[in-house]
Amino acid sequence: KAGVTQTPRYLIKTRGQQVTLSCSPISGHRSVSWYQQTPGQGLQFLFEYFSETQRNKGNFPGRFSGRQFSNSRSEMNVSTLELGDSALYLCASSPSVIRLLPEQFFGPGTRLTVL
Amino acid sequence: EDQVTQSPEALRLQEGESSSLNCSYTVSGLRGLFWYRQDPGKGPEFLFTLYSAGEEKEKERLKATLTKKESFLHITAPKPEDSATYLCAVQPDKAAGNKLTFGGGTRVLVKP
C-alpha cells in the first residue's frame, strides 16, 4: 500500500512570492492534516480537512490556506512568503473518524526555503 | 492551553544501555497520546497510541507507558538503528478531528 506522498520535496522561493504544496493521502484515507516543522517551534498544526471541509485550524495567519479535493488529495497555499515561513511542511492522513482514535501517517514533507 | 514537554532534549547512549524518555502533558482531557519516531529528512513514523492511564504497549526494543500526567518511552538494549528523534503528541478530549499537539522531541543517539 503506497504511503502519503508530497510534492514537491524541495522548494526555494523569495519573499513576497506565493507557494502551493500538494499532498496525496493513503488510498481510502479521508482526513488530511498539515503541520509546519521548524527547529525553534517544533511541529505545529496548521489545519485539517475531511470530506473537502476544513474541520480544524491552528494558530497561523490567514496567509496559510488549504483545500481538499473530492479524491481526498489536498493542497496548501502560502501567500506573501516571509523568511520565517522556511520550514518542513508535513502532511498526514488518517483512515476514518469512526475508529476510536485513528493513527495519522505522515508523508516525507516538503522542505520550503524562503530567501 | 494544551502543552506537551519532552525530556531530555538529547540523549547519548552506548549500544545496549537502556534508558527512558519522558513526555509530560497538560490537556483539558486526553483522548489519546501518540509516540512517533522521526529520522533526519523524513516524516514522523507512527509507533504507539495510548488511551488511558496504566496502559502499556511494546514494539521490539520499545515500550510505552502512560500515567495521568506523563508517558514514558523505554528503550531496552538499544542498537545504533534506534538513533532518531522521538516525538510525543496528544489529542485533547474535546478537539475536533485529528489535531495533534506535539512536544519538542528527544534526539537519541546510540553509539556502537
Side-chain angles (χ1 to χ4, degrees):
Chain A
K1 199 172 189 182
V4 178
T5 58
Q6 292 187 245
T7 57
R9 291 293 313 278
Y10 303 92
L11 207 48
I12 299 176
K13 292 285 186 179
T14 57
R15 279 181 298 173
Q17 287 186 310
Q18 74 167 16
V19 67
T20 299
L21 312 181
S22 180
C23 171
S24 292
I26 294 171
S27 177
H29 287 194
R30 295 168 62 193
S31 168
V32 173
S33 298
W34 288 90
Y35 293 82
Q36 181 195 65
Q37 187 173 32
T38 60
Q41 299 296 319
L43 264 158
Q44 293 185 290
F45 174 80
L46 280 157
F47 29 64
E48 181 204 359
Y49 287 88
F50 179 79
S51 293
E52 302 178 65
T53 301
Q54 187 181 88
R55 185 163 63 178
N56 211 340
K57 190 177 188 308
N59 297 324
F60 280 83
R63 299 185 296 108
F64 292 82
S65 62
R67 59 177 175 168
Q68 187 179 34
F69 302 95
S70 57
N71 61 358
S72 294
R73 190 177 71 84
S74 178
E75 289 181 348
M76 68 162 282
N77 184 77
V78 188
S79 63
T80 319
L81 284 166
E82 300 177 0
L83 295 179
D85 297 333
S86 294
L88 181 67
Y89 289 88
L90 292 159
C91 165
S93 76
S94 58
S96 170
V97 292
I98 298 174
R99 288 185 55 187
L100 177 61
L101 197 62
E103 297 89 353
Q104 293 189 46
F105 298 90
F106 283 82
T110 294
R111 171 73 62 186
L112 172 65
T113 301
V114 182
L115 301 176
Chain B
E1 187 177 319
D2 305 321
Q3 205 162 4
V4 180
T5 303
Q6 292 187 245
S7 61
E9 288 187 9
L11 193 57
R12 285 188 163 211
L13 301 171
Q14 287 297 127
E15 185 172 1
E17 178 188 1
S18 301
S19 188
S20 293
L21 282 56
N22 177 265
C23 169
S24 60
Y25 60 89
T26 305
V27 294
S28 53
L30 183 69
R31 202 170 157 215
L33 183 142
F34 296 80
W35 281 99
Y36 285 87
R37 167 198 170 121
Q38 186 174 25
D39 293 302
K42 296 188 177 181
E45 174 190 345
F46 171 77
L47 293 173
F48 305 108
T49 308
L50 300 167
Y51 297 102
S52 57
E55 188 174 2
E56 298 181 351
K57 288 194 175 174
E58 286 188 71
K59 179 181 180 180
E60 297 180 358
R61 295 176 292 283
L62 300 177
K63 178 180 177 181
T65 62
L66 181 65
T67 72
K68 288 188 176 180
K69 293 184 177 180
E70 57 192 350
S71 177
F72 294 93
L73 184 66
H74 308 277
I75 309 179
T76 302
K79 298 182 177 181
E81 53 262 42
D82 295 322
S83 297
T85 295
Y86 291 86
L87 297 162
C88 168
V90 297
Q91 187 161 3
D93 193 22
K94 296 180 181 177
N98 293 324
K99 176 184 177 181
L100 295 178
T101 298
F102 280 85
T106 294
R107 295 188 311 277
V108 174
L109 176 63
V110 182
K111 292 192 167 185

